[in-house]
């Protein structure tokens, strides 16, 4: 029984367990499941009773007591003489050490029972606490689907619904009477007469930098020379060739703004055609050109250059080309690395997908598809062996069968264990299971879209897949698939502009959508727009999110790379213009402070991008290496870049049909 202040008043020791399970479901499909399990254990007896209630126990960290009893006396903490050595011995000798939990509320150690341990395991696995609870019970229709003959209500309409209102008539009459009597005056039309202002009306004449004290007279016009005479000497007249050259030059490049001409007498000279234009330009020069004395400051040019660390102090980063993967006969648009870093997948315009072993450049598997491969993406979850491949209007999920056989078999079992629901809803994307030769090649699911798919991107948990179908005038440009339930949804009713690429946030329920000039960050739980990033470029080509989640880089076709700090501003923190041609791909490293960009100039530029935990310290961005090796083919260079998940290595795919590893 619980008494005042949450105290246990039983004489015998009792164990009170409270489990708090918070499930945050994103986008009505529970896009990201975060399970937080908090255990609060209250072990109380007649002597040790905690009456402080549900408060943070850090408040009593510096006090010898832990609350008060009913008589107002302090309840002292139990004496704990265990040091790290005693804790280690207890861990080695006590068989129940793994199930013993320290209760912060009472300061005692409590041993969990088997039922409580099973309950904790079920909650950690995302299951319900009750073993007998059935989460797939059939739904009960509370309302009948049969159309009834008699209506719910058949009361005739009120008479007042089609008779003019007398109250409104009375109010209008009062307003008309007030306007006639002059009590209410209608709004006057705005005056359209132009207004002029004296620019120097409020200027202080006694100021040090006053206009009159710092007055500099305007430069006088040059006096006319022989070429402006009505009867100039023959050497000042232009020949036909010189006249053609003068007419072809820009007005700013001409030595003379007019053509010298010869007349027999002053009476034959016509009016100057550009007189008003020349006077107007002279007035503009006097009015708009600033004239003031400036104090010159002598500054050393080297002091203006920011002090950056040396590249040798920022190692490790890739510096040289180690391996080249040959095999494709056309340009390679996309590459992806397995979570273990042992395997590499590449998709090419020669309608093939190749799986490589990273360390040996050996092509272990080649799979032909029905069109040029636009994008490949390896599932980031280490417990799932799936690769998404997009070509044309299709996206296929492939189990390559490489690596751990248990993971491969578990992936096949996960896909084959799907059971179709009783009520099948119409979806915009068709899910199909391949058969025959496609099944033997490793294809497990085929997703047919209404339009061509340009990019595929996995969620960090590995169950959700986003596909991009760029079409400026359509509302169906981005779809999100849930593989375990084989469901597809369109998260946006309408898209603002043509979507270029999308990405999931690594830790938060955010979804980043890059259009031609903006990057929009959506909150999937609240289903609202969180931020709108302005890239300050003409056309975004690629995007990558920092593993910490607070920084984003965008590459563009106008040779720019923009670094965004999401906590700082919606405008770029820094814009890098190191490439000479369009950027095709950008990537962050998962563990090292590195990011890379690939361009059509055939180079990969690796930069050091250190993000500090201190929010007051700005990120350190230093370009450290330019990697060359790809041959420019059909004005295309490097088409995609990807980092190794554990090593400071970078992979690049190019239009020359090769994949290169820089270490």
């Amino acid at each position: 029984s619980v008494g005042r202040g949450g105290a246990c008043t039983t004489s015998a020791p009792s164990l009170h367990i409270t489990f708090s399970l918070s499930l945050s479901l994103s986008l009505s499909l529970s896009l990201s499941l975060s399970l937080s399990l908090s255990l609060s254990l209250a072990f109380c007896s007649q002597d040790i009773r905690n009456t402080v209630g549900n408060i943070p126990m850090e408040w009593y960290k510096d006090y010898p007591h832990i609350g008060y009893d009913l008589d107002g006396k302090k309840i002292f903490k139990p004496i704990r003489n265990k040091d790290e050595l005693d804790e280690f011995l207890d861990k080695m000798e006590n068989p129940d050490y793994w199930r013993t939990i320290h209760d912060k509320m009472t300061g005692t150690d409590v041993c969990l029972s088997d039922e409580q341990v099973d309950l904790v395991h079920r909650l950690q696995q995302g299951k319900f606490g009750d073993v007998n609870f059935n989460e797939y019970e059939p739904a009960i229709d509370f309302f009948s689907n049969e159309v009834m003959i008699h209506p719910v209500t058949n009361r005739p309409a009120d008479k007042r619904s089609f008779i003019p209102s007398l109250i409104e008539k009375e109010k209008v009459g009062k307003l008309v009477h007030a306007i006639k009597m002059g009590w209410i005056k209608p709004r006057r039309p705005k005056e359209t007469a132009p207004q002029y202002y004296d620019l120097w009306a409020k200027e202080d004449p006694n100021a040090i930098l006053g206009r009159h004290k710092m007055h500099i007279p305007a430069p006088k016009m040059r006096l006319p020379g022989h070429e402006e005479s009505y009867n100039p000497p023959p050497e000042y007249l232009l020949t036909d060739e010189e006249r053609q050259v003068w007419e072809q030059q820009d007005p700013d490049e001409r030595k003379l703004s007019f053509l010298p001409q010869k007349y027999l007498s002053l009476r034959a000279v016509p009016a100057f055609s550009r007189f008003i234009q020349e006077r107007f330009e002279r007035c503009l020069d006097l009015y708009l050109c600033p004239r003031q004395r400036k104090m010159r400051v002598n500054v050393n040019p080297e002091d203006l250059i920011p002090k950056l660390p040396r590249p040798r102090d920022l190692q490790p980063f890739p510096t040289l080309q180690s391996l080249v993967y040959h095999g494709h006969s056309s340009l390679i648009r996309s590459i992806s690395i397995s979570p273990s870093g042992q395997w590499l997948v590449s998709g090419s315009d020669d309608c093939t997908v190749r799986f490589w072993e990273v360390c040996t450049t050996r092509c272990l598997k080649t799979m032909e598809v029905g069109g040029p491969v636009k994008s490949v993406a390896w599932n980031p979850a280490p417990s799932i062996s799936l690769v998404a491949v997009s070509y044309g209007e299709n996206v296929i999920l492939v189990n390559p069968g490489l690596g751990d056989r248990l993971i491969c078999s578990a992936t096949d079992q996960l896909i084959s264990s799907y059971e179709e629901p009783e009520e099948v809803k119409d979806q915009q994307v068709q899910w199909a299971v391949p058969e025959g030769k496609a099944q033997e090649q490793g294809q497990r699911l085929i997703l047919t879209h209404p339009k061509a798919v340009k990019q595929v991107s996995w969620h960090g948990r590995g169950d959700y897949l986003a596909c991009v179908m760029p079409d400026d005038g359509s509302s169906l440009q981005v779809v999100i698939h849930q593989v375990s339930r084989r469901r597809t949804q369109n998260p946006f009713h309408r898209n603002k502009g043509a979507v270029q690429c999308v990405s999931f946030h690594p830790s938060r329920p955010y979804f980043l959508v890059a259009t031609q000039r903006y990057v929009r960050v959506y909150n999937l739980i609240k289903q609202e727009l969180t931020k709108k990033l302005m890239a300050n470029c003409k056309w975004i080509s690629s995007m990558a999110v920092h593993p910490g989640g607070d920084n984003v880089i965008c590459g563009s076709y106008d040779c720019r790379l923009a670094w965004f700090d999401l906590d700082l501003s919606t405008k770029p923190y820094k814009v890098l213009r190191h490439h000479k041609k369009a950027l095709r791909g950008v990537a962050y490293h998962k563990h090292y402070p590195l990011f890379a960009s690939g361009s059509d100039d055939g180079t990969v530029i690796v930069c050091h991008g250190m993000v500090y935990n201190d929010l007051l310290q700005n990120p350190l961005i230093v370009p450290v290496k330019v990697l060359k090796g790809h041959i420019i083919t059909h004005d295309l260079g490097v088409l995609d870049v990807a980092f190794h998940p554990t090593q400071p290595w970078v992979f690049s795919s190019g239009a020359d049909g090769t994949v290169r590893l820089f270490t």
Side-chain angles (χ1 to χ4, degrees), residues 187-195 197:
R187 296 177 181 174
R188 295 180 180 178
K190 295 183 179 180
E191 296 181 359
T192 57
Q195 296 181 352
Y197 302 94

Side-chain angles (χ1 to χ4, degrees), residues 1 5 121 137 152 167 171 187 228 237 245 253 257 277 293 343 352 420 454 480 488 541 562 601 621 650:
S1 63
H121 288 331
E137 290 184 354
V152 178
I167 298 175
K171 288 184 178 179
R187 296 177 181 174
E228 293 177 293
L237 297 175
V245 173
E253 298 177 355
S257 59
Q277 185 176 358
R293 292 184 179 92
W343 318 105
T352 62
E420 292 189 2
K454 176 186 174 183
I480 298 178
T488 302
S541 62
D601 57 9
I621 301 174
V650 66

